[in-house]
Amino acid sequence: DGCIKAVGQADVIRNQFSEATFERIIDCSGKCVLPGLVDAHTHPVWAGDRVHEFAMKLAGASYMEIHQAGGGIHFTVEHTRKATEEELFSTFKHRLERMLRAGSTLVECKSGYGLNLETELKMLRVIERAKRSMDIGISSTYCGAHSVPKGKTATEAAEDIISNHLPKLKELNLSGEIHVNNIDVFCEKGVFDLESTRRILQAGKDIGLQINFHGDELHPMKSAELGAELGARAISHLEEVSDEGITAMARAKCAAVLLPTTAYMLRLKQPQARKMLEEGVIVALGSDFNPNAYCFSMPMVMHLACVNMKMSMNEALAAATINAAYALGKSDTHGSLEIGKQGDLVIINSSRWEHLIYQFGGHETLINYVIVKGKVVYQNETC
């Protein structure tokens, strides 16, 4: 059934399964077996890359300056609206395969480059199709409130989402066409204010979606306090979170999904990982893969978390496995090697697991096997 049957000392296992026959035995002498990595925050469905904006950023343009000049999210929205479902699926599939080869066996995937009902549904159908046809695990997120569409105010956009988008999602969910797990809003100055964010998240929660949203990234917005109050499962970014917000998240057992790639690429101040950990917040990690932060690799994310956010390697591994699974409401089935949990494993070609973090960008020759539900889905011939 794809679940782990036993964990323990080799001689005990040999004894326990002495009568059993196996399709395949992998000799892991001198290697390490780790839980499959979990990427708790990605935006992987879109058309039109933004490589030209990277040069603008390097020349000193801020995220919001690019956004206001018609770049950023709006540039991607324009291209994603024009792309066919087939085109979007083809690039999305390729990206997921790269994530899988870098050790991710469960990935959170957001919509959010449509900003109108038609394109948001197109993106969610693409995510649903990958869920059903690919080996990698997917938690899907409706992020229609990723930006305010041109020609609308935040209040009007929130109204459209609550009155039109969410009822349609509920209908498609009931008919079994699309199954969405989470609702996300970009709560930010100049995007969705606290009140609009509250209304959208509450409406999503009312139709059974887990709250998992962007907060306190560029400006202190009291997003963490709002998330704790609404019973959010997770909040992402949190570069500008307040001390009160951290305390509220710890109390509410609301996970903090930290994104070291974003802080690194946008040269933002780093999220306060140490303070969060000391206060008892459940800290998870995500790659934030999107046209603005083009990184598929959770091993690289863990390395950045250790160097830039001062996390220990143990904390980073927990944040990229069991805690990231918790942020997606899946820690009962994913994120650790325990009997009864899904058999998602990464086998690395080293006797010390720390090499996965230590070798910055070295995962391509280090990851020997990726296994999902007990099935080898990637075997690296170069190991």
Side-chain angles (χ1 to χ4, degrees), residues 99-114:
M99 289 175 183
L100 193 66
R101 292 198 295 274
S104 293
T105 54
L106 173 62
V107 179
E108 184 264 5
C109 299
K110 302 177 192 293
S111 72
Y113 291 119

Side-chain angles (χ1 to χ4, degrees), residues 184-338:
D184 190 353
V185 175
F186 187 13
C187 180
E188 185 53 73
K189 193 173 166 185
V191 193
F192 287 92
D193 60 22
L194 210 60
E195 197 39 51
S196 297
T197 300
R198 176 196 296 278
R199 291 183 59 227
I200 297 168
L201 292 175
Q202 186 59 55
K205 188 179 179 181
D206 293 345
I207 65 161
L209 301 178
Q210 291 182 129
I211 295 175
N212 188 335
F213 72 112
H214 290 62
D216 296 328
E217 179 185 357
L218 305 170
H219 299 91
M221 298 286 293
K222 295 203 181 313
S223 305
E225 292 90 326
L226 174 69
E229 180 199 326
L230 292 177
R233 167 57 63 168
I235 305 170
S236 290
H237 282 293
L238 301 165
E239 287 87 351
E240 298 286 346
V241 69
S242 68
D243 290 352
E244 296 76 19
I246 291 175
T247 305
M249 286 180 73
R251 261 196 218 118
K253 292 191 164 49
C254 169
V257 179
L258 305 184
L259 309 168
T261 46
T262 317
Y264 164 72
M265 291 186 194
L266 294 180
R267 298 171 175 156
L268 303 175
K269 74 175 188 195
Q270 296 288 332
Q272 299 177 69
R274 286 260 49 89
K275 184 170 170 59
M276 291 179 194
L277 289 161
E278 279 150 21
E279 295 238 359
V281 175
I282 297 160
V283 172
L285 290 171
S287 67
D288 196 14
F289 173 78
N290 73 73
N292 177 53
Y294 208 103
C295 175
F296 295 105
S297 164
M298 285 305 288
M300 290 177 85
V301 168
M302 288 190 279
H303 178 100
L304 289 171
C306 292
V307 174
N308 290 341
M309 297 190 329
K310 301 182 171 59
M311 289 172 74
S312 72
M313 288 194 282
N314 287 349
E315 287 164 344
L317 182 65
T321 52
I322 190 73
N323 290 4
Y326 175 87
L328 303 177
K330 298 226 181 215
S331 52
D332 53 341
T333 52
H334 294 70
S336 58
L337 304 180
E338 295 180 74

Side-chain angles (χ1 to χ4, degrees), residues 43 45 73 76-77 80-81 85 88 109-128 140-147 149 160-161 164-166 168-169 172 178 180 182 184:
H43 301 258
V45 183
I73 291 172
T76 306
V77 167
T80 306
R81 284 180 178 178
E85 209 164 301
L88 288 176
C109 299
K110 302 177 192 293
S111 72
Y113 291 119
L115 310 185
N116 60 24
L117 182 56
E118 182 195 346
T119 316
E120 289 296 314
L121 290 179
K122 177 169 71 173
M123 295 179 76
L124 290 169
R125 279 196 301 272
V126 164
I127 294 170
E128 189 67 32
S140 65
T141 301
Y142 163 74
C143 185
H146 194 197
S147 184
D160 182 33
I161 286 166
N164 301 314
H165 292 213
L166 292 175
K168 186 66 183 168
L169 281 191
L172 292 170
I178 293 176
V180 178
N182 317 287
D184 190 353

Side-chain angles (χ1 to χ4, degrees), residues 347-363:
I347 298 170
I348 65 165
N349 197 27
S350 169
S351 58
R352 290 192 57 162
W353 70 266
E354 291 93 340
H355 274 272
L356 195 60
I357 297 176
Y358 165 64
Q359 293 189 21
F360 189 46
H363 59 270

Side-chain angles (χ1 to χ4, degrees), residues 24 31 101-102 347-349 362-370 376-383:
R24 182 168 188 183
K31 298 185 181 189
R101 292 198 295 274
I347 298 170
I348 65 165
N349 197 27
H363 59 270
E364 291 193 352
T365 52
L366 189 63
I367 292 174
N368 201 162
Y369 296 90
V370 179
V376 175
V377 294
Y378 171 63
Q379 182 174 350
N380 187 347
E381 303 300 339
T382 62
C383 284

